[in-house]
Amino acid sequence: MLTKFETKSNRVKGLCFHPRRPWILASLHSGVIQMWDYRVGTLIDRFDEHEGPVRGVHFHATQPLFVSGGDDYKIKVWNHKTHRCLFTLHGHLDYIRHNHYVMSASFHPKEDMVVSASLDQTVRVWDIGALRKKSVSPADDLLRLTQMNTDLFGGVDSVVKYVLEGHDRGVNWASFHPTLPLIISGADDRQVKLWRMNDTKAWEVDTLRGHMNNVSCVMFHAKQDIIVSNSEDKSIRIWDATKRTSIQTFRREHDRFWILAAHPEMNLLAAGPVSPVLRILHPEGSSSGSNKKTWIIPKDSAGRADYLQEAKKGAGGWAVFVARNRFAVLEKSSNQVLVKNLKNEIVKKSPLPIATDAIYYAGTGSLLCKAEDRVAIFDLQQRLVLGELQTPAVKYVIWSSDMETVALLSKHAVVIASKKLVHRCTLHETIRVKSGAWDENGVFIYTTLNHMKYCLPNGDSGIVKTLDVPVYITRVVGNGIFCLDRDGKNKLITVDASEYIFKLALLRKRYDHVMSMIKNSQMCGQAVISYLQQKGFPEVALHFVKDEKTRFNLALESGNIQIAVASAKEIDDKDHWYKLGIEALRQGNVGIVEYAYQRTKNFERLTFLYLITGYLDKVGFMSKIAAQNSNLMGQFHNALYLGDAGKRVEILENAGQLPLAYVTAVTHGLTEIAERIDAELGENVPSLPERKTHTLLIPPAPLMACGDWPLLRVMRGIFEGGLDVTGRAELEEDDEAAAADWGDEDLDMVDASEVMAYGGDGFDIEHAEPNEEDGEDGGWDLEDLELPPETETPKAAASARSIAFVAPTLGMPVSQIWTQKSSLAGEHAAAGNFDTAMRLLSRQLGIKNFAPLKPLFLDLHMGSHTYLCAFAAAPVISVAVEKGWSESASPNVRGPPALVFSFSQMEDILKAAYKATMGGKFPEALRQFLNILHAIPLIVVDSRRKSMK
Amino acid sequence: MKSMASSPPDQLFGLRNSFYVGAYQAAITSSQSLPAHDLSPDDLLERDALLYRSYLAIGSHQLVVNEIGPSAATPLQAVKLLAVYLSGDAANKESVVSRLQELLGDPAVGSNTILRLVAGTVFMHERDYAEALKHTSSGGTMELLALNVQIYLHMNRADHAEKQLRVMQQLDEDHTLTQLANAWVDLAMGGSKIQEAHLIFQDLSDKYPTTCMILNGKALCSIHMGNFQEAEALLLESLNKDAKDAETLANLTVCSLNLGKPATRYLNELKLSHPDHMLVKRMSSAEDLFDRACQAMA
């Protein structure tokens, strides 16, 4: 992977990764030092104190320091936390040669030393420990450094520990070995020099020659025993640090790299080219972790096919095995794919359907072709596109183990598709997707820069765990995730897979699993509950929740009225009882409705409920309650419901509504009361409306007082009834489908019979025609006879093959070879040559009566050949089974037949027989012994062990 | 190597391969899903021939005889003759052979590849290998070449079979029939070749849904390598797919015998459902042979 950071400045002169944080320092030609966060690609800080280009920069391994060296002959030590230059080392002052820029400066990883390289042809090691010794605490130390600077750096020589002289030209780079007392330097004399130092002195150890031009940067690799150097000859060279020999050279024709940096922990190398762009190379493509593979081969280079044996190399953009003995090589220039065999010979060429820049395996004989904006599956044998899918530029292709599903990873998305590239789901990520693998249940596990996530077949995804450092998943086994870190080291991360396994079980309707997971694990948590609710499994969620309000809501949602009642009792507030009442009413559970209304003291609703359920006595009871509560309106309603006119009058009278009471009494013919009220009213007797037909408001009498209404069928929770229900539903569907099928078939049959009928007619007609033709043929025949020379030719042509071809003679069956080679009765019997077998036995053992051996002979013969069905209608081929097969056996050389009786078997029977004898089961034992005696003559023994028995 | 130019998509590719690897029911289903109007007349004929041959393979001889009318094209007539031959008695067989000879002698249709294929098959059953080769040896289709391989193997001439295989490999090494023929030859040659056959069957089972034919192929390789346990497992898997598959029953008998297990049930089942199977015939003649030899010794 390559990340580019564009900077406004011109050339990048120096680079350094922070040992722990995702930061990189870049020193620029303009004199500025920039600090970048390479994960997000933003500029964090800039330090601008050097005059003129800054060449070398280096972070301190443990402290918030970095050192820089520039063309102003100065070495500066900075604190990037406080954004201050702590002190400046004035060295490399050479008054004879005027060219003495400081080309590089770097810290020792552990000790208080700085090494610098200068165009004055020297490498200097500076001791900054003297400054530390005088300070008490490290924090103070840093602050005091500034003050001490003036005291201690008055005399330059007091801090320069060693001056290394040996290069003949200006030295461009020098750096310490991460652990050993070694220094490596590279100079314009095209040499890389290795230096050794101890407490008192430093000396030159060796010189590495090979670069064709000025060496601009050189360093020890943090983890591997290698030296990396780059040069103005446009190459980067890898050297073996112990043997001091060149291992590998990378050359880029168009990029002249100036500077290198290796991340101390992660498997990263940065190379800064002369062009004003900073590039970071992640050696992600390689995962083996061996020395050579820590380098990424630029993706557009040739020679991807170099995993072949040494002798068989070829050019090609991508190569991938498509069958056991075939691999496909992408030829980008012509957009063709070449299929080659293991001898690297081209077997097939095929143009590709889309402009392909990479190919991947897609099952035997198929390729997954990747273009900028799409992928396609291409069958090499049929040259057919089996499926195509629009995707963002795909980086990785990962097939599930059964090859049924594929995951396509692009920079910010994961696309799951079927093997025919039918889109299943797409997940978008805001940060980069790194890797992924399928677990055995069909869950896709993938990593982004900082998360490990899962993706279920339906597209549901979630976080499995958070990652501190990016990892690259290689394989998922159960809850173990095998992955590589950026050092290329194998790691096993154990994760809690229960969440996605649980969701998968739900998705697959494996409720038994769901149930056992609920019982056994602590699958609690709001996320799971809301997931279940959202996915329509409130009844499952019910099993998790302890909080009564949530429980109540879930119970209502899933219609589980019992649990809802229980929860409502616990909560016991008006709102919940009300909701319960509504749900109970919906379900028709009158008892619960009544209970809910009672709890909320909602008498009006309760009364109405009694009315419509026909419990008039209870309505009466309610009116008593209303009377107690002096609820007039309630009483009146109840009286109305009950059709009790006298009561109504009474209520109206009590309420002082005498005119109304009077009218009611008159209307209902309650004359006595009417008269009494009339008397009370005196003058104010209301006049009754005339000329109207009256109907009295008498409620109908209930036919019956019933309990619950027919209850709505509510799933009692998927664990009891669910399976049955779904099972039944499926069955029904099946039946329907089957019925539909039948229907279709019926139609077909009708059609067919019609056709037959018509066809029958047709046949008759046609039948006549062939006859005529036959007649004509006959005529031709006659003519043929008359004109022999002309007819000779077609006949000759037709029979040419039969004449020219001479069938070979029959070969010798393997069984015959067996009998020829062998003088063992058993092998003859296996070959089916019973007479020779018998003759052999008679001669060798004097056996006369063969009848008891018949089944043995037949079994031997039967077990000696297998049957191979080749073409359906053709007779089967029988294949002789030989004994003692080995991988190296040469073909067509016949071994002895495999015999169905073996010595070890006999031993087993013998043991059984002994046992039977011990147990006194003599007939059984006798039978066994006879068996052995019968079989022994036919057994072929390699050793002479038989005689011992 | 065939022409590099891209040819029109081969509509019958899937159908053919299903047939070759023994997925007959799949072949029947997929041939019905191939719309007739999309196919050239030649393809249409081939489709129908494959369809009826698939029916033959699952034992529906009578269906084929009934469905192919007298006006059907030569290839279908040939398949019908094969059906009559496979289902018929001795007299029927004779008439089929003479009718075949008649057709083969007809210059207008005599060179039809399916007719020749049927002829080769029938003469193989007749054990007249010279006559079979007379019609098939000139090749013309991969199927004919593959049939040649089989005929040579029946003649115990693995050397000739191998030559024929080379021809197939030159034409199309990746063709399913080439792969299969390679495996047949490897099995017949034995020795280290068994491994190669095993790899081929393994490849086929990776590529296509497993069929009795492929499972039997794998099992055979195991048997010949001496892994009877493994073979038994494969054959039982095959038996689960089709409880009456002749080769599965025959090979299970052989395998069980070699494992020292009772084999009678498989043998009896084979005798019942496939009285004409080579194993059954071979054993009945072996019994006669034994009795005669016994008498001779007495």
Side-chain angles (χ1 to χ4, degrees), chain A residues 819 823-830 832-844 850 853 857 860 938, chain B residues 290 293 297:
Chain A
T819 44
S823 62
L824 297 168
E827 294 184 350
H828 278 250
N833 263 18
F834 295 149
D835 48 348
T836 54
M838 286 181 195
R839 248 175 276 140
L840 281 168
L841 283 178
S842 137
R843 207 168 58 228
Q844 291 164 356
F850 288 97
L853 296 182
F857 269 55
L860 276 172
L938 298 171
Chain B
F290 186 91
M297 292 299 294

PDB file of all heavy atoms in Angstrom, chain A residues 819 823-830 832-844 850 853 857 860 938, chain B residues 290 293 297:
ATOM      1  N   THR A 819      -2.481 -65.987 -13.085  1.00  0.00           N
ATOM      2  CA  THR A 819      -2.335 -67.451 -13.076  1.00  0.00           C
ATOM      3  C   THR A 819      -1.007 -67.866 -13.678  1.00  0.00           C
ATOM      4  O   THR A 819      -0.401 -68.831 -13.240  1.00  0.00           O
ATOM      5  CB  THR A 819      -3.480 -68.142 -13.844  1.00  0.00           C
ATOM      6  OG1 THR A 819      -3.693 -67.440 -15.056  1.00  0.00           O
ATOM      7  CG2 THR A 819      -4.734 -68.164 -13.034  1.00  0.00           C
ATOM      8  N   SER A 823       1.967 -69.807  -8.501  1.00  0.00           N
ATOM      9  CA  SER A 823       1.685 -71.219  -8.291  1.00  0.00           C
ATOM     10  C   SER A 823       0.962 -71.386  -6.968  1.00  0.00           C
ATOM     11  O   SER A 823       1.059 -72.390  -6.307  1.00  0.00           O
ATOM     12  CB  SER A 823       2.982 -72.025  -8.301  1.00  0.00           C
ATOM     13  OG  SER A 823       3.795 -71.584  -7.245  1.00  0.00           O
ATOM     14  N   LEU A 824       0.313 -70.308  -6.536  1.00  0.00           N
ATOM     15  CA  LEU A 824      -0.402 -70.348  -5.272  1.00  0.00           C
ATOM     16  C   LEU A 824      -1.886 -70.536  -5.558  1.00  0.00           C
ATOM     17  O   LEU A 824      -2.479 -69.814  -6.358  1.00  0.00           O
ATOM     18  CB  LEU A 824      -0.193 -69.054  -4.491  1.00  0.00           C
ATOM     19  CG  LEU A 824       1.263 -68.811  -4.094  1.00  0.00           C
ATOM     20  CD1 LEU A 824       1.442 -67.399  -3.585  1.00  0.00           C
ATOM     21  CD2 LEU A 824       1.699 -69.823  -3.044  1.00  0.00           C
ATOM     22  N   ALA A 825      -2.465 -71.491  -4.874  1.00  0.00           N
ATOM     23  CA  ALA A 825      -3.853 -71.843  -5.142  1.00  0.00           C
ATOM     24  C   ALA A 825      -4.769 -70.650  -4.926  1.00  0.00           C
ATOM     25  O   ALA A 825      -5.690 -70.413  -5.705  1.00  0.00           O
ATOM     26  CB  ALA A 825      -4.267 -72.988  -4.239  1.00  0.00           C
ATOM     27  N   GLY A 826      -4.513 -69.886  -3.870  1.00  0.00           N
ATOM     28  CA  GLY A 826      -5.377 -68.761  -3.544  1.00  0.00           C
ATOM     29  C   GLY A 826      -5.418 -67.759  -4.685  1.00  0.00           C
ATOM     30  O   GLY A 826      -6.478 -67.244  -5.058  1.00  0.00           O
ATOM     31  N   GLU A 827      -4.280 -67.493  -5.278  1.00  0.00           N
ATOM     32  CA  GLU A 827      -4.232 -66.516  -6.345  1.00  0.00           C
ATOM     33  C   GLU A 827      -4.901 -67.045  -7.609  1.00  0.00           C
ATOM     34  O   GLU A 827      -5.545 -66.289  -8.341  1.00  0.00           O
ATOM     35  CB  GLU A 827      -2.774 -66.109  -6.603  1.00  0.00           C
ATOM     36  CG  GLU A 827      -2.207 -65.376  -5.386  1.00  0.00           C
ATOM     37  CD  GLU A 827      -0.797 -64.854  -5.578  1.00  0.00           C
ATOM     38  OE1 GLU A 827      -0.156 -65.210  -6.583  1.00  0.00           O
ATOM     39  OE2 GLU A 827      -0.354 -64.085  -4.701  1.00  0.00           O
ATOM     40  N   HIS A 828      -4.784 -68.336  -7.820  1.00  0.00           N
ATOM     41  CA  HIS A 828      -5.490 -68.920  -8.964  1.00  0.00           C
ATOM     42  C   HIS A 828      -6.985 -68.828  -8.771  1.00  0.00           C
ATOM     43  O   HIS A 828      -7.726 -68.530  -9.707  1.00  0.00           O
ATOM     44  CB  HIS A 828      -5.047 -70.381  -9.147  1.00  0.00           C
ATOM     45  CG  HIS A 828      -3.754 -70.504  -9.893  1.00  0.00           C
ATOM     46  ND1 HIS A 828      -3.669 -70.997 -11.164  1.00  0.00           N
ATOM     47  CD2 HIS A 828      -2.482 -70.164  -9.548  1.00  0.00           C
ATOM     48  CE1 HIS A 828      -2.400 -70.970 -11.571  1.00  0.00           C
ATOM     49  NE2 HIS A 828      -1.653 -70.460 -10.590  1.00  0.00           N
ATOM     50  N   ALA A 829      -7.403 -69.081  -7.548  1.00  0.00           N
ATOM     51  CA  ALA A 829      -8.838 -69.000  -7.272  1.00  0.00           C
ATOM     52  C   ALA A 829      -9.320 -67.565  -7.472  1.00  0.00           C
ATOM     53  O   ALA A 829     -10.389 -67.327  -8.038  1.00  0.00           O
ATOM     54  CB  ALA A 829      -9.120 -69.446  -5.847  1.00  0.00           C
ATOM     55  N   ALA A 830      -8.519 -66.581  -7.020  1.00  0.00           N
ATOM     56  CA  ALA A 830      -8.889 -65.186  -7.194  1.00  0.00           C
ATOM     57  C   ALA A 830      -9.014 -64.847  -8.664  1.00  0.00           C
ATOM     58  O   ALA A 830      -9.874 -64.069  -9.080  1.00  0.00           O
ATOM     59  CB  ALA A 830      -7.860 -64.278  -6.528  1.00  0.00           C
ATOM     60  N   GLY A 832     -10.026 -66.730 -10.823  1.00  0.00           N
ATOM     61  CA  GLY A 832     -11.173 -67.440 -11.386  1.00  0.00           C
ATOM     62  C   GLY A 832     -10.785 -68.739 -12.054  1.00  0.00           C
ATOM     63  O   GLY A 832     -11.612 -69.387 -12.682  1.00  0.00           O
ATOM     64  N   ASN A 833      -9.549 -69.122 -11.940  1.00  0.00           N
ATOM     65  CA  ASN A 833      -9.112 -70.379 -12.525  1.00  0.00           C
ATOM     66  C   ASN A 833      -9.211 -71.489 -11.476  1.00  0.00           C
ATOM     67  O   ASN A 833      -8.225 -71.906 -10.887  1.00  0.00           O
ATOM     68  CB  ASN A 833      -7.649 -70.250 -13.008  1.00  0.00           C
ATOM     69  CG  ASN A 833      -7.613 -69.937 -14.474  1.00  0.00           C
ATOM     70  OD1 ASN A 833      -8.622 -69.501 -15.031  1.00  0.00           O
ATOM     71  ND2 ASN A 833      -6.476 -70.168 -15.097  1.00  0.00           N
ATOM     72  N   PHE A 834     -10.444 -71.946 -11.264  1.00  0.00           N
ATOM     73  CA  PHE A 834     -10.663 -72.873 -10.157  1.00  0.00           C
ATOM     74  C   PHE A 834     -10.017 -74.219 -10.408  1.00  0.00           C
ATOM     75  O   PHE A 834      -9.530 -74.864  -9.484  1.00  0.00           O
ATOM     76  CB  PHE A 834     -12.168 -73.039  -9.924  1.00  0.00           C
ATOM     77  CG  PHE A 834     -12.828 -71.765  -9.469  1.00  0.00           C
ATOM     78  CD1 PHE A 834     -14.146 -71.495  -9.789  1.00  0.00           C
ATOM     79  CD2 PHE A 834     -12.123 -70.841  -8.710  1.00  0.00           C
ATOM     80  CE1 PHE A 834     -14.753 -70.336  -9.358  1.00  0.00           C
ATOM     81  CE2 PHE A 834     -12.731 -69.672  -8.283  1.00  0.00           C
ATOM     82  CZ  PHE A 834     -14.052 -69.419  -8.609  1.00  0.00           C
ATOM     83  N   ASP A 835     -10.018 -74.655 -11.673  1.00  0.00           N
ATOM     84  CA  ASP A 835      -9.477 -75.997 -11.916  1.00  0.00           C
ATOM     85  C   ASP A 835      -7.986 -76.051 -11.612  1.00  0.00           C
ATOM     86  O   ASP A 835      -7.517 -76.981 -10.951  1.00  0.00           O
ATOM     87  CB  ASP A 835      -9.775 -76.477 -13.339  1.00  0.00           C
ATOM     88  CG  ASP A 835      -9.443 -75.423 -14.371  1.00  0.00           C
ATOM     89  OD1 ASP A 835      -9.206 -74.256 -13.962  1.00  0.00           O
ATOM     90  OD2 ASP A 835      -9.398 -75.735 -15.566  1.00  0.00           O
ATOM     91  N   THR A 836      -7.240 -75.033 -12.043  1.00  0.00           N
ATOM     92  CA  THR A 836      -5.811 -75.044 -11.736  1.00  0.00           C
ATOM     93  C   THR A 836      -5.586 -74.894 -10.242  1.00  0.00           C
ATOM     94  O   THR A 836      -4.696 -75.532  -9.680  1.00  0.00           O
ATOM     95  CB  THR A 836      -5.072 -73.924 -12.475  1.00  0.00           C
ATOM     96  OG1 THR A 836      -5.707 -72.696 -12.181  1.00  0.00           O
ATOM     97  CG2 THR A 836      -5.031 -74.154 -13.961  1.00  0.00           C
ATOM     98  N   ALA A 837      -6.433 -74.059  -9.615  1.00  0.00           N
ATOM     99  CA  ALA A 837      -6.307 -73.892  -8.164  1.00  0.00           C
ATOM    100  C   ALA A 837      -6.476 -75.230  -7.460  1.00  0.00           C
ATOM    101  O   ALA A 837      -5.717 -75.587  -6.551  1.00  0.00           O
ATOM    102  CB  ALA A 837      -7.340 -72.895  -7.673  1.00  0.00           C
ATOM    103  N   MET A 838      -7.490 -75.965  -7.900  1.00  0.00           N
ATOM    104  CA  MET A 838      -7.752 -77.262  -7.258  1.00  0.00           C
ATOM    105  C   MET A 838      -6.608 -78.229  -7.506  1.00  0.00           C
ATOM    106  O   MET A 838      -6.190 -78.967  -6.609  1.00  0.00           O
ATOM    107  CB  MET A 838      -9.046 -77.855  -7.807  1.00  0.00           C
ATOM    108  CG  MET A 838     -10.270 -77.159  -7.272  1.00  0.00           C
ATOM    109  SD  MET A 838     -11.728 -77.933  -7.960  1.00  0.00           S
ATOM    110  CE  MET A 838     -12.951 -76.707  -7.574  1.00  0.00           C
ATOM    111  N   ARG A 839      -6.101 -78.194  -8.737  1.00  0.00           N
ATOM    112  CA  ARG A 839      -5.015 -79.113  -9.054  1.00  0.00           C
ATOM    113  C   ARG A 839      -3.797 -78.791  -8.183  1.00  0.00           C
ATOM    114  O   ARG A 839      -3.136 -79.690  -7.666  1.00  0.00           O
ATOM    115  CB  ARG A 839      -4.651 -79.039 -10.539  1.00  0.00           C
ATOM    116  CG  ARG A 839      -5.021 -80.352 -11.249  1.00  0.00           C
ATOM    117  CD  ARG A 839      -4.781 -80.266 -12.734  1.00  0.00           C
ATOM    118  NE  ARG A 839      -5.905 -79.645 -13.417  1.00  0.00           N
ATOM    119  CZ  ARG A 839      -5.776 -78.776 -14.424  1.00  0.00           C
ATOM    120  NH1 ARG A 839      -4.576 -78.413 -14.829  1.00  0.00           N
ATOM    121  NH2 ARG A 839      -6.839 -78.296 -15.007  1.00  0.00           N
ATOM    122  N   LEU A 840      -3.540 -77.506  -8.010  1.00  0.00           N
ATOM    123  CA  LEU A 840      -2.411 -77.102  -7.169  1.00  0.00           C
ATOM    124  C   LEU A 840      -2.595 -77.620  -5.738  1.00  0.00           C
ATOM    125  O   LEU A 840      -1.676 -78.181  -5.140  1.00  0.00           O
ATOM    126  CB  LEU A 840      -2.299 -75.569  -7.137  1.00  0.00           C
ATOM    127  CG  LEU A 840      -1.641 -74.949  -8.366  1.00  0.00           C
ATOM    128  CD1 LEU A 840      -1.839 -73.441  -8.364  1.00  0.00           C
ATOM    129  CD2 LEU A 840      -0.146 -75.275  -8.372  1.00  0.00           C
ATOM    130  N   LEU A 841      -3.804 -77.423  -5.212  1.00  0.00           N
ATOM    131  CA  LEU A 841      -4.060 -77.843  -3.833  1.00  0.00           C
ATOM    132  C   LEU A 841      -3.936 -79.353  -3.690  1.00  0.00           C
ATOM    133  O   LEU A 841      -3.393 -79.849  -2.694  1.00  0.00           O
ATOM    134  CB  LEU A 841      -5.460 -77.398  -3.408  1.00  0.00           C
ATOM    135  CG  LEU A 841      -5.593 -75.927  -3.050  1.00  0.00           C
ATOM    136  CD1 LEU A 841      -7.034 -75.611  -2.698  1.00  0.00           C
ATOM    137  CD2 LEU A 841      -4.685 -75.592  -1.878  1.00  0.00           C
ATOM    138  N   SER A 842      -4.444 -80.025  -4.660  1.00  0.00           N
ATOM    139  CA  SER A 842      -4.411 -81.482  -4.599  1.00  0.00           C
ATOM    140  C   SER A 842      -2.971 -81.969  -4.625  1.00  0.00           C
ATOM    141  O   SER A 842      -2.584 -82.890  -3.919  1.00  0.00           O
ATOM    142  CB  SER A 842      -5.246 -82.024  -5.750  1.00  0.00           C
ATOM    143  OG  SER A 842      -4.621 -83.076  -6.372  1.00  0.00           O
ATOM    144  N   ARG A 843      -2.169 -81.289  -5.454  1.00  0.00           N
ATOM    145  CA  ARG A 843      -0.776 -81.708  -5.553  1.00  0.00           C
ATOM    146  C   ARG A 843       0.002 -81.329  -4.283  1.00  0.00           C
ATOM    147  O   ARG A 843       0.760 -82.111  -3.746  1.00  0.00           O
ATOM    148  CB  ARG A 843      -0.129 -81.055  -6.776  1.00  0.00           C
ATOM    149  CG  ARG A 843       1.020 -81.877  -7.324  1.00  0.00           C
ATOM    150  CD  ARG A 843       1.461 -81.391  -8.685  1.00  0.00           C
ATOM    151  NE  ARG A 843       1.867 -80.004  -8.677  1.00  0.00           N
ATOM    152  CZ  ARG A 843       1.465 -79.093  -9.566  1.00  0.00           C
ATOM    153  NH1 ARG A 843       0.630 -79.416 -10.520  1.00  0.00           N
ATOM    154  NH2 ARG A 843       1.887 -77.851  -9.493  1.00  0.00           N
ATOM    155  N   GLN A 844      -0.219 -80.082  -3.833  1.00  0.00           N
ATOM    156  CA  GLN A 844       0.588 -79.586  -2.718  1.00  0.00           C
ATOM    157  C   GLN A 844       0.141 -80.147  -1.369  1.00  0.00           C
ATOM    158  O   GLN A 844       0.952 -80.413  -0.497  1.00  0.00           O
ATOM    159  CB  GLN A 844       0.524 -78.043  -2.658  1.00  0.00           C
ATOM    160  CG  GLN A 844       1.242 -77.397  -3.828  1.00  0.00           C
ATOM    161  CD  GLN A 844       0.866 -75.917  -3.992  1.00  0.00           C
ATOM    162  OE1 GLN A 844       0.022 -75.408  -3.282  1.00  0.00           O
ATOM    163  NE2 GLN A 844       1.519 -75.277  -4.942  1.00  0.00           N
ATOM    164  N   PHE A 850     -13.285 -80.829  -2.541  1.00  0.00           N
ATOM    165  CA  PHE A 850     -13.241 -79.365  -2.641  1.00  0.00           C
ATOM    166  C   PHE A 850     -14.565 -78.692  -2.331  1.00  0.00           C
ATOM    167  O   PHE A 850     -14.615 -77.490  -2.152  1.00  0.00           O
ATOM    168  CB  PHE A 850     -12.767 -78.944  -4.034  1.00  0.00           C
ATOM    169  CG  PHE A 850     -11.306 -79.215  -4.226  1.00  0.00           C
ATOM    170  CD1 PHE A 850     -10.860 -80.357  -4.855  1.00  0.00           C
ATOM    171  CD2 PHE A 850     -10.375 -78.322  -3.737  1.00  0.00           C
ATOM    172  CE1 PHE A 850      -9.513 -80.611  -5.008  1.00  0.00           C
ATOM    173  CE2 PHE A 850      -9.023 -78.579  -3.896  1.00  0.00           C
ATOM    174  CZ  PHE A 850      -8.586 -79.713  -4.532  1.00  0.00           C
ATOM    175  N   LEU A 853     -14.892 -75.926   0.091  1.00  0.00           N
ATOM    176  CA  LEU A 853     -14.129 -74.712  -0.207  1.00  0.00           C
ATOM    177  C   LEU A 853     -14.857 -73.790  -1.179  1.00  0.00           C
ATOM    178  O   LEU A 853     -14.372 -72.710  -1.491  1.00  0.00           O
ATOM    179  CB  LEU A 853     -12.767 -75.085  -0.783  1.00  0.00           C
ATOM    180  CG  LEU A 853     -11.828 -75.844   0.151  1.00  0.00           C
ATOM    181  CD1 LEU A 853     -10.511 -76.101  -0.535  1.00  0.00           C
ATOM    182  CD2 LEU A 853     -11.598 -75.058   1.430  1.00  0.00           C
ATOM    183  N   PHE A 857     -13.628 -70.104  -2.476  1.00  0.00           N
ATOM    184  CA  PHE A 857     -13.164 -69.874  -3.851  1.00  0.00           C
ATOM    185  C   PHE A 857     -13.940 -68.722  -4.483  1.00  0.00           C
ATOM    186  O   PHE A 857     -13.363 -67.822  -5.089  1.00  0.00           O
ATOM    187  CB  PHE A 857     -13.383 -71.159  -4.689  1.00  0.00           C
ATOM    188  CG  PHE A 857     -12.198 -72.070  -4.685  1.00  0.00           C
ATOM    189  CD1 PHE A 857     -11.660 -72.513  -3.486  1.00  0.00           C
ATOM    190  CD2 PHE A 857     -11.621 -72.487  -5.875  1.00  0.00           C
ATOM    191  CE1 PHE A 857     -10.574 -73.357  -3.482  1.00  0.00           C
ATOM    192  CE2 PHE A 857     -10.523 -73.336  -5.877  1.00  0.00           C
ATOM    193  CZ  PHE A 857     -10.000 -73.781  -4.677  1.00  0.00           C
ATOM    194  N   LEU A 860     -13.024 -65.344  -3.041  1.00  0.00           N
ATOM    195  CA  LEU A 860     -11.713 -64.900  -3.523  1.00  0.00           C
ATOM    196  C   LEU A 860     -11.837 -64.304  -4.920  1.00  0.00           C
ATOM    197  O   LEU A 860     -11.283 -63.244  -5.221  1.00  0.00           O
ATOM    198  CB  LEU A 860     -10.741 -66.084  -3.576  1.00  0.00           C
ATOM    199  CG  LEU A 860     -10.043 -66.440  -2.272  1.00  0.00           C
ATOM    200  CD1 LEU A 860      -9.269 -67.730  -2.438  1.00  0.00           C
ATOM    201  CD2 LEU A 860      -9.104 -65.318  -1.858  1.00  0.00           C
ATOM    202  N   LEU A 938      -5.573 -71.369   1.227  1.00  0.00           N
ATOM    203  CA  LEU A 938      -5.718 -70.331   0.208  1.00  0.00           C
ATOM    204  C   LEU A 938      -5.003 -69.043   0.582  1.00  0.00           C
ATOM    205  O   LEU A 938      -4.917 -68.127  -0.205  1.00  0.00           O
ATOM    206  CB  LEU A 938      -7.206 -70.047   0.000  1.00  0.00           C
ATOM    207  CG  LEU A 938      -7.983 -71.261  -0.512  1.00  0.00           C
ATOM    208  CD1 LEU A 938      -9.454 -70.979  -0.491  1.00  0.00           C
ATOM    209  CD2 LEU A 938      -7.520 -71.653  -1.906  1.00  0.00           C
TER     210      LEU A 938
ATOM    211  N   PHE B 290     -16.708 -73.987 -10.878  1.00  0.00           N
ATOM    212  CA  PHE B 290     -16.236 -74.681  -9.681  1.00  0.00           C
ATOM    213  C   PHE B 290     -16.783 -76.102  -9.644  1.00  0.00           C
ATOM    214  O   PHE B 290     -16.064 -77.059  -9.408  1.00  0.00           O
ATOM    215  CB  PHE B 290     -16.673 -73.901  -8.432  1.00  0.00           C
ATOM    216  CG  PHE B 290     -16.116 -74.475  -7.169  1.00  0.00           C
ATOM    217  CD1 PHE B 290     -14.898 -74.028  -6.676  1.00  0.00           C
ATOM    218  CD2 PHE B 290     -16.786 -75.482  -6.478  1.00  0.00           C
ATOM    219  CE1 PHE B 290     -14.376 -74.564  -5.517  1.00  0.00           C
ATOM    220  CE2 PHE B 290     -16.263 -76.020  -5.328  1.00  0.00           C
ATOM    221  CZ  PHE B 290     -15.050 -75.563  -4.842  1.00  0.00           C
ATOM    222  N   ALA B 293     -15.080 -78.196 -12.163  1.00  0.00           N
ATOM    223  CA  ALA B 293     -13.713 -78.504 -11.759  1.00  0.00           C
ATOM    224  C   ALA B 293     -13.710 -79.522 -10.634  1.00  0.00           C
ATOM    225  O   ALA B 293     -12.872 -80.417 -10.596  1.00  0.00           O
ATOM    226  CB  ALA B 293     -13.004 -77.228 -11.323  1.00  0.00           C
ATOM    227  N   MET B 297     -12.039 -83.261 -10.531  1.00  0.00           N
ATOM    228  CA  MET B 297     -11.045 -83.667  -9.551  1.00  0.00           C
ATOM    229  C   MET B 297     -11.448 -84.970  -8.859  1.00  0.00           C
ATOM    230  O   MET B 297     -10.597 -85.713  -8.405  1.00  0.00           O
ATOM    231  CB  MET B 297     -10.869 -82.596  -8.470  1.00  0.00           C
ATOM    232  CG  MET B 297     -10.252 -81.323  -8.947  1.00  0.00           C
ATOM    233  SD  MET B 297      -8.607 -81.557  -9.609  1.00  0.00           S
ATOM    234  CE  MET B 297      -7.721 -82.056  -8.165  1.00  0.00           C
TER     235      MET B 297
END
